[in-house]
Structure formats: C-alpha cells, structure tokens
C-alpha cells in the first residue's frame, strides 16, 4: 500500500504557502539574533561604571520591537499553516467522497456506516493536524533551529555544541516514545470506530430496540464499548504525556547544555546572555516537536485507513450510451448473490410482476436491473446496451426506483421530489404531483412543499413517503420503473395511486410484490426461487384488465 492515492502536500497553491513558512522561520531566527545582539550589548554597557542610559533604553526598545515582530510572525505562521492543512484536507475529502461514489454499491453497503463516517471526521482531522500543526511547524522549526545554531557557532562554538547536544537527546527521546504512541493511537482509533458504528446503528434502529424491550441490553453493550474506548484513550494519553515531558525536558536540557558548555569554554558573560536570549526563541519550536510526533503518530494510523478506502476497486469508467427510446431488459447468464445463470427478457412497455419467497433474490434482481449491483457473471442490458457501460447520470435518467432500500433524504419535500431531476420544469413537476396525488399530501403539511423531511423520510407517514418516492422515480419520464416491495403495508388510497401510476406508465415496469393484484395485472410473471427465475403468464389475461 502506498501514498500515491493521497493528494500531494506540495500541490499548486500550497507550495507558495510552504515557502512562506520557511521565510517565516528564517524571519524569526533573524529577529532572535537581533534580540540576542541587543541584549549582549546592553549587558556589556550595564557593566560599565557609568552605564549609558540612553543607549540601554534604545537597545531595550529594539528587543521589545523584535519581540513584537516575532509575535506577528508566529500569528502569520498559524494562519499559513492552517491554510495549508485545510486546503489539503479539502482535496483529500473530495477524493475520498469521489472514490466512495465510484465504488460498487455492494462494496459500500457491506462497510460499517460509522466506520466510513469516521474517515471523513476523525481521520481527516488527524491529517489536518499533521499538515498544519506538524509538518508546517517542522517547515518553520528546521530553518529556525539551523539559523540559531549557526549564530551560536559564530559567537562561540561551545554554545552551539552544547545546544545541539540537548536538542539531539530530546529528539532521541521523541523517537523512542513515538513507537508505543503509534500503537496506542491505532488501538484508540479502532475503538472510536467501533463505538461510532455501534452508536450509529442503535440510534438508527431505536424503534426496533424499544419494540423488543432491549434498551437495557443495548445500554450495557454501549457501556462496554465505551469502557474499552476510555481505557484506550487513557493509555494513549500516557504516551502523549511522556512525549510532552520529553519536549519540555529537551528545551531545558538545551539551555542547561549551553550554560555548561559556556562555563567549560570560558565564554564571556555578555555572549552567554545573548545566547540565552536567542534560545528563548527556539524554546517554543522545541516544545512543539513533542506535539509533532503525536500528530505524526495519529496521522500514520489515519493514513492506513484512508489508503484502505482509496485502494478499493471502483466501477469501470462508462463508455456506452442508450438509444433514444425503448425499455427492453435482457439478462444473459447472470449470476449474483443467490441468483445463478438467470436469462430473462422484458419487452418495452411490459409490466413484469416479480414473485417469490423471502430471501429468494428479488431485491438483488432489482439492483442488477438498475445497475447498482454488477453481476459476478453474465450481462444485464437495457435496450441492447450493458448497464455497467452507461454513464451514471444517463442511466439514472432512464431508470426510476422505489423501495425500502432507496429512502428519502434529509431536506424539503420539493428537494426530495426533484432529487433525480433537479432542473425539472414546473410543468413536469406539476404533472407528477397530480399523478401521485402529492397535492393531497402537501395540503396536510404546514409548509407544503417546503416542509422539512427527516432522515429516511422521518416526519411523513408510510403512505406519504411512498407517494413522494414514487413521484421522484417518475419525474423526467424514465423508460424503466422498478418497484421493490413498494406496496407493502400501505393504505388503500396509496395502493390505488401506485396502481394508477403503473397503469399509465409508458415504459417498462418491474414490480416486486407479494400482492395477488399486481400478479394478475402483469403482462408477464417472473418467479424467483432456488436461485433461478422462471417466466410465466399471469392468471388473468392482461386484455381483461383496465390497463
């Protein structure tokens, strides 16, 4: 696994910011030298029998101005570093989302929702911290430390040697602690992912939990999961604390080593004073090095998880196009899931009723027909074109789907209705609202089409949700309408709306239902059982029906 799937840090727009950070570090070093020289000169002046007050005041003013300038540079460093981190995470977030969109739906569905969400929250936060608080600080700290050590060597080589020895010992301590920190960070991240997955699933299925009286049992499950997460985070905090202690120790050790080296090398007191002032400027970068190791440890764990997503296979790039009109479906030797070697054909304009026992593969068949599930073997064609080769936008315009696996989304009623065809004309929207009798639903809502709908249609009744989902599927006049158990547990009025929509639909309809009425009203019946699909005529001839 490599990082080639990840965006480059030094991409256009970020390279200039990184160069500005290098300049920021050199600027801080230059100001530190100015402060050090001014303090050394003032120290020498104060040792005279009659100290020149005016000169000392000017030198003090120079030190103060240099300090203010350093503060300004550090503020600019923070803004530049955050800009680089946010820009990088923005690119990575879009790359992740594009990859998820291009992944086979079956692959996405079998992944934990909480775990996938964690990639877009906690993992991306780890990337941002590493780039803006870790990598960017290194870009500033390295030239700053190099310039300061060069200045100390120019003043008196023992000062540079002593300071470098203290910094080296601190870096060695960081490296030793970073290994267990990375291990504990990986475990803490794993526990956070499991916690997120469990909580997401439980919140999404609260009615099921309540209906089965499992509240206490589920609370104990979350309690156990939370305890494991708590222990993992505490262990990680111990390693983080050790890293911070090493950073503080490194800063103190650098100063102490400088003083000892000055004493052994008989460095003048004024020179030592200058060196100590300069060292105060590098204390912050030295302390930050401990946090840099912490950010790098969490980043490496997050990088592995993100690379795992980016390395998953995606669907092949589409290259085909559907003809102007039609609606013919053809499956040749298709195998997927529990279906094996299925070969059936639906002619344009036919109503196909799909029947069969539970778990026989009816929903799998619907997913194959609308291109959401690629077959393991065989081909699925719509109007002679393999559905996997049709661009998604074109395929979605040609196929409307209604079923429990295709719920409404959070947003307004109008947004859900237009979701397939956002630019649908007012005339087309009005036609669909009449067809599915959506105006009757809107009359019952306080804000009509602007009424907010919750996740999976929360806030609407089952009948209202089906009418809205049916309108969404019919908007734009698709050539193929797939209904997967759309009539289950509906009131009589909604069933009548559904039946009327099927009767007046010009294209091909595939209707998965246990209803005998849908069976009798079909042109052809597909019986799904034992992994195969058999074709038969309905009991009642279609000519005898109103369609």
């Amino acid at each position: 696994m490599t990082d080639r799937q990840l965006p480059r840090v030094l991409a256009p727009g970020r390279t200039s910011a990184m160069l500005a950070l290098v300049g920021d570090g050199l600027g801080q070093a230059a100001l530190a030298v100015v402060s050090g020289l001014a303090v050394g000169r003032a120290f020498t002046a104060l040792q005279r029998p009659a100290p020149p007050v005016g000169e000392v005041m000017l030198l003090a003013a120079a030190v103060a101005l240099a300090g203010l300038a350093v503060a300004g540079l550090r503020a600019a460093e923070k803004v530049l570093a955050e800009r680089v981190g946010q820009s990088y995470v923005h690119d990575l977030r879009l790359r992740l989302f594009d990859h998820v969109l291009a992944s086979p739906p079956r692959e996405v569905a079998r992944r934990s929702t909480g775990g996938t969400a964690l990639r877009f929250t906690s993992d991306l936060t780890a990337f941002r911290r590493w780039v803006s608080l870790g990598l960017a600080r290194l870009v500033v700290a390295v030239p700053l430390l190099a310039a300061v050590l060069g200045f100390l060597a120019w003043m008196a080589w023992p000062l540079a040697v002593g300071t470098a020895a203290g910094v080296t010992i601190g870096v060695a301590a960081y490296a030793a602690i970073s290994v267990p920190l990375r291990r504990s960070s990986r475990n803490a991240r794993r526990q956070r992912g499991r916690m997120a997955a469990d909580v997401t699933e439980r919140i999404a299925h609260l009615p099921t939990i309540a209906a089965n009286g499992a509240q206490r049992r589920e609370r104990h499950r979350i309690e156990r999961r939370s305890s494991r997460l708590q222990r993992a985070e505490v262990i990680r905090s111990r390693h983080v604390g050790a890293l911070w202690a090493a950073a503080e120790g490194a800063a103190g050790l650098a100063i102490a080593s400088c003083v000892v080296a000055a004493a052994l090398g008989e460095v003048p007191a004024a020179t030592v004073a200058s060196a100590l002032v300069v060292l105060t400027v590098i204390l912050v970068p030295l302390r930050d090095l401990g946090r840099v190791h912490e950010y790098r440890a969490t980043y490496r764990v997050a990088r592995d998880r993100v690379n795992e997503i980016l390395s998953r296979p995606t669907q092949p790039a589409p290259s085909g196009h559907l003809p102007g009109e039609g609606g013919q479906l053809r499956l040749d030797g298709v195998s997927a899931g529990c279906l094996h070697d299925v070969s059936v054909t639906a002619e344009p304009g036919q109503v196909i009723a799909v029947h069969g026992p539970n778990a026989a593969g009816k929903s799998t068949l619907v997913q194959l027909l609308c291109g959401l599930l690629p077959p393991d073997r065989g081909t699925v064609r719509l109007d002679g074109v393999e559905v996997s080769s049709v661009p998604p936008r074109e395929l979605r315009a040609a196929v409307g789907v209604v079923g429990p696996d295709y719920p409404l989304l959070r947003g307004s009623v109008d947004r859900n209705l237009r979701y397939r065809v956002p630019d649908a004309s007012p005339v087309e929207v009005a036609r669909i609202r009449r067809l599915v009798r959506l105006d009757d639903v809107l009359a019952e809502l306080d804000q009509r089409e602007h009424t907010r709908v919750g996740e999976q249609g929360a806030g609407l009744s089952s009948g209202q949700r089906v009418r809205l989902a049916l309108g969404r599927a019919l908007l734009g006049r698709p050539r193929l309408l797939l209904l997967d158990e759309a009539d289950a547990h509906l009131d009589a009025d909604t069933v009548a709306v559904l039946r009327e929509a099927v009767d007046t639909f010009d294209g091909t309809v595939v209707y998965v239902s246990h209803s005998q009425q849908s069976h009798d009203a079909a042109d052809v019946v597909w019986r799904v059982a034992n992994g195969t699909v058999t074709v038969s005529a309905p009991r009642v001839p279609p000519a005898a029906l109103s369609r």
Side-chain angles (χ1 to χ4, degrees):
M1 184 179 298
T2 67
D3 291 342
R4 282 180 290 180
Q5 303 100 325
L6 300 175
R8 292 184 297 112
V9 174
L10 295 180
R14 290 194 287 269
T15 302
S16 58
M18 281 295 193
L19 291 175
L21 286 170
V22 173
D24 192 294
L26 293 174
Q28 292 185 44
L31 291 168
V33 169
V34 170
S35 296
L37 292 175
V39 168
R41 188 167 177 177
F43 192 85
T44 301
L46 289 171
Q47 289 180 323
R48 299 174 188 171
V53 177
E55 181 182 351
V56 172
M57 293 296 290
L58 285 175
L59 292 170
V63 173
L65 289 175
L68 291 175
V70 168
L73 286 176
R74 285 181 177 163
E77 172 193 343
K78 174 66 176 174
V79 174
L80 285 169
E82 189 66 22
R83 183 178 299 165
V84 172
Q86 292 292 348
S87 171
Y88 182 84
V89 168
H90 172 75
D91 289 351
L92 179 56
R93 183 183 295 115
L94 293 181
R95 184 167 296 190
L96 265 174
F97 194 69
D98 288 343
H99 197 88
V100 170
L101 289 178
S103 299
R106 176 172 52 183
E107 176 70 19
V108 176
R110 72 185 185 90
R111 300 286 175 176
S112 161
T113 302
T116 302
L118 197 66
R119 306 295 191 273
F120 288 88
T121 53
S122 179
D123 286 346
L124 290 191
T125 298
F127 273 88
R128 183 192 62 79
R129 286 177 175 170
W130 164 239
V131 174
S132 62
L133 303 179
L135 193 58
R137 283 181 176 176
L138 283 176
V139 169
V140 173
V142 168
L144 174 59
L145 289 172
V148 166
L149 288 175
F151 173 70
L152 293 178
W154 173 75
M155 286 200 306
W157 67 265
L159 300 178
V161 171
T163 303
V167 171
T168 301
I169 294 173
V171 171
Y174 299 156
I177 299 171
S178 65
V179 175
L181 173 60
R182 186 166 63 251
R183 192 160 45 242
S184 61
S185 296
R186 183 176 289 108
N187 183 47
R189 190 234 165 264
R190 186 185 305 113
Q191 296 300 332
R192 283 195 299 271
R194 291 172 178 172
M195 184 75 185
D198 276 0
V199 171
T200 300
E201 182 181 8
R202 269 62 188 176
I203 291 177
H205 298 94
L206 284 178
T208 301
I209 294 172
N212 290 276
Q215 293 96 329
R216 184 183 297 275
R217 187 165 63 252
E218 293 298 341
R219 185 188 183 280
H220 287 164
R221 179 185 178 88
I222 296 300
E223 182 180 11
R224 291 193 301 272
R225 185 70 71 195
S226 181
S227 296
R228 294 182 191 132
L229 175 58
Q230 180 184 14
R231 288 193 296 271
E233 293 287 7
V234 169
I235 293 173
R236 178 181 173 278
S237 70
R238 290 174 185 164
H239 296 139
V240 171
L243 204 59
W244 290 7
E248 292 291 336
L253 190 60
I255 294 176
S257 300
C258 180
V259 172
V260 171
L264 296 176
E266 298 181 354
V267 179
T271 304
V272 175
S274 295
L276 292 178
V277 170
V278 173
L279 286 178
T280 58
V281 178
I282 68 170
L283 288 181
V284 172
L286 278 178
R287 292 189 178 104
D288 286 346
L289 285 179
R291 302 300 301 269
V292 168
H293 272 278
E294 176 193 350
Y295 297 140
R296 185 171 182 270
T298 54
Y299 152 76
R300 291 182 65 178
V301 175
R303 180 195 61 188
D304 293 342
R305 298 295 180 258
V306 169
N307 269 328
E308 180 189 337
I309 286 184
L310 294 178
S311 62
R312 294 174 191 164
T314 57
Q315 299 183 97
S319 58
H321 294 282
L322 295 172
E325 58 183 19
Q328 184 194 59
L329 280 172
R330 186 178 182 86
L331 284 74
D332 291 316
V334 170
S335 296
C338 57
L339 298 178
H340 304 287
D341 197 27
V342 174
S343 296
V344 290
T345 301
E347 297 299 333
Q350 282 188 326
V351 176
I352 310 295
V354 180
H355 285 245
N358 292 331
K362 301 186 296 297
S363 294
T364 299
L365 182 62
V366 171
Q367 290 181 319
L368 287 166
L369 295 177
C370 65
L372 293 179
L373 177 65
D376 298 327
R377 289 194 305 274
T379 58
V380 180
R381 290 186 173 87
L382 177 59
D383 292 322
V385 181
E386 200 166 342
V387 295
S388 61
S389 69
V390 181
R393 187 178 181 86
E394 185 178 341
L395 184 61
R396 297 303 144 231
V399 182
V401 190
V402 182
D405 292 333
Y406 316 95
L408 302 176
L409 302 180
R410 188 187 302 273
S412 68
V413 169
D414 188 65
R415 177 178 180 267
N416 273 280
L417 179 62
R418 296 172 177 266
Y419 195 70
R420 279 184 63 254
V421 191
D423 56 352
S425 68
V427 173
E428 173 65 5
V429 172
R431 181 186 74 85
I432 293 300
R433 283 170 53 166
R434 289 193 301 271
L435 177 61
V436 300
R437 302 179 197 171
L438 192 58
D439 288 326
D440 296 343
V441 173
L442 298 180
E444 302 171 357
L445 304 177
D446 293 338
Q447 297 180 318
R448 295 183 61 80
E449 64 268 22
H450 303 297
T451 300
R452 302 292 296 179
V453 176
E455 187 176 353
Q456 296 192 347
L460 300 179
S461 68
S462 58
Q464 292 171 336
R465 288 196 293 268
V466 169
R467 291 194 195 193
L468 185 53
L470 180 61
R472 178 183 65 186
L474 292 171
L475 193 67
R477 301 180 183 273
R479 67 184 71 186
L480 174 62
L481 178 62
L482 304 175
L483 304 175
D484 186 9
E485 305 271 1
D487 59 353
H489 314 297
L490 293 181
D491 59 274
D493 289 341
T494 305
V495 171
V497 169
L498 197 60
R499 185 69 260 160
E500 181 180 350
V502 171
D503 290 343
T504 58
F505 185 67
D506 293 332
T508 306
V509 180
V510 176
Y511 198 158
V512 178
S513 174
H514 293 284
S515 166
Q516 185 62 45
Q517 183 181 7
S518 66
H519 181 284
D520 294 341
D523 299 319
V524 178
V525 175
W526 290 354
R527 176 75 180 176
V528 183
N530 301 319
T532 63
V533 178
T534 56
V535 180
S536 62
R539 295 179 182 177
V540 180
L545 301 172
S546 60
R547 188 177 187 274

